Amino acid sequence: MPVIVAANPKGGSGKSTTCLVVGTTLAAQGASVRIIDADPQRTLARWSEGDSTHRNLVVTPTPGEDLTTLIDRLQSEVQFVIIDVQGSANQEMVSAMSRADLVLIPMQAKTADADVATRAISLLRTQENLFKRKIPHAIVFIRTSPIIVTREEKQIRQNIVAAAVPRFSKSLNERTAFSHLFAYKRALTELSPKETNGLGEAQQNAIEVTAEVIQVLRQQKEVAA
């Protein structure tokens, strides 16, 4: 079953949001999912302390627990394993990369974030050399405007195309609902439209991004076959 890793050296890059949006969307669609919070910030672990019906999706490694062993166990039990790791090249990242079927690199459409994303890809290339296999990966833009594409965003997208770096066609837009995931410690389907503006649009955005994750995984499987 697929292992999806979200990695980026930059703090606040949107890794936890991406993991939570994709994981809870898959679960709402009937898939069995576990999200491993291997980031020392434990953002997802704190989210799971709320009253969401999806709170049990989040698994936190116990002290001293081998992440590879945890991944292998969960992979045998559920359809999707999603991992939020610290972006630096530490043991958790190495363990996650060793099992990854897809690495998502969340980034904002900002020049500073693009520079950091380049470092993330460099770290990934190092892991590819270590494991002697290609690790499928793609940039996922987050916090983009659903209405206006800035000149800076256009330039960054052009640069990514020129560098032949894989990227998603869909972005996780700047939506109040994605912030409210953590504010209320609930999934998108559990938020109230009375409290969260644009909830329907955010839910559709989540479905589209998650569908592209599935599409990329299927394409990778076809290539491997």
Side-chain angles (χ1 to χ4, degrees):
M1 298 300 176
V3 174
I4 303 166
V5 178
N8 190 316
K10 184 177 183 297
S13 63
K15 294 187 289 86
S16 298
T17 300
T18 303
C19 288
L20 191 58
V21 167
V22 173
T24 54
T25 300
L26 286 170
Q29 293 172 345
S32 56
V33 181
R34 289 295 180 271
I35 307 172
I36 301 176
D37 187 356
D39 189 327
Q41 298 296 324
R42 294 292 187 258
T43 302
L44 294 175
R46 290 195 300 275
W47 175 87
S48 70
E49 294 170 355
D51 61 0
S52 171
T53 58
H54 296 298
R55 61 186 180 276
N56 291 331
L57 297 184
V58 178
V59 177
T60 304
T62 58
E65 183 176 19
D66 182 77
L67 183 56
T68 305
T69 301
L70 176 59
I71 294 170
D72 291 346
R73 176 173 65 81
L74 293 176
Q75 193 176 18
S76 69
E77 298 173 353
V78 298
Q79 293 173 291
F80 296 91
V81 178
I82 301 172
I83 311 170
D84 184 6
V85 297
Q86 188 176 13
S88 58
N90 56 16
Q91 185 57 48
E92 285 73 20
M93 181 179 183
V94 172
S95 297
M97 292 290 188
S98 72
R99 296 296 190 266
D101 294 290
L102 175 63
V103 174
L104 303 177
I105 305 172
M107 62 167 281
Q108 297 186 65
K110 305 289 185 182
T111 302
D113 286 61
D115 292 340
V116 176
T118 299
R119 296 206 303 272
I121 293 171
S122 178
L123 289 171
L124 187 142
R125 298 286 185 240
T126 299
Q127 304 312 313
E128 286 183 326
N129 291 332
L130 177 63
F131 302 125
K132 297 183 179 179
R133 74 174 180 96
K134 291 293 184 182
I135 301 175
H137 59 281
I139 285 175
V140 180
F141 284 103
I142 67 164
R143 303 188 186 113
T144 55
S145 169
I147 301 173
I148 301 172
V149 179
T150 66
R151 182 177 300 176
E152 183 179 25
E153 180 179 343
K154 289 179 181 178
Q155 185 60 56
I156 289 171
R157 288 182 179 274
Q158 290 172 2
N159 292 343
I160 288 173
V161 171
V165 176
R167 76 283 181 200
F168 274 34
S169 63
K170 300 295 182 181
S171 305
L172 276 180
N173 301 139
E174 180 67 63
R175 296 286 185 186
T176 300
F178 296 141
S179 296
H180 281 189
L181 288 174
F182 297 96
Y184 294 102
K185 296 183 178 180
R186 294 177 181 172
L188 288 173
T189 53
E190 298 168 326
L191 295 175
S192 168
K194 294 180 180 179
E195 299 173 334
T196 305
N197 293 330
L199 181 57
E201 290 85 350
Q203 290 172 336
Q204 182 59 36
N205 188 194
I207 289 170
E208 291 172 350
V209 170
T210 302
E212 190 162 3
V213 169
I214 300 302
Q215 179 185 4
V216 171
L217 287 169
R218 285 175 176 167
Q219 290 172 344
Q220 295 297 335
K221 186 175 181 180
E222 292 173 358
V223 170

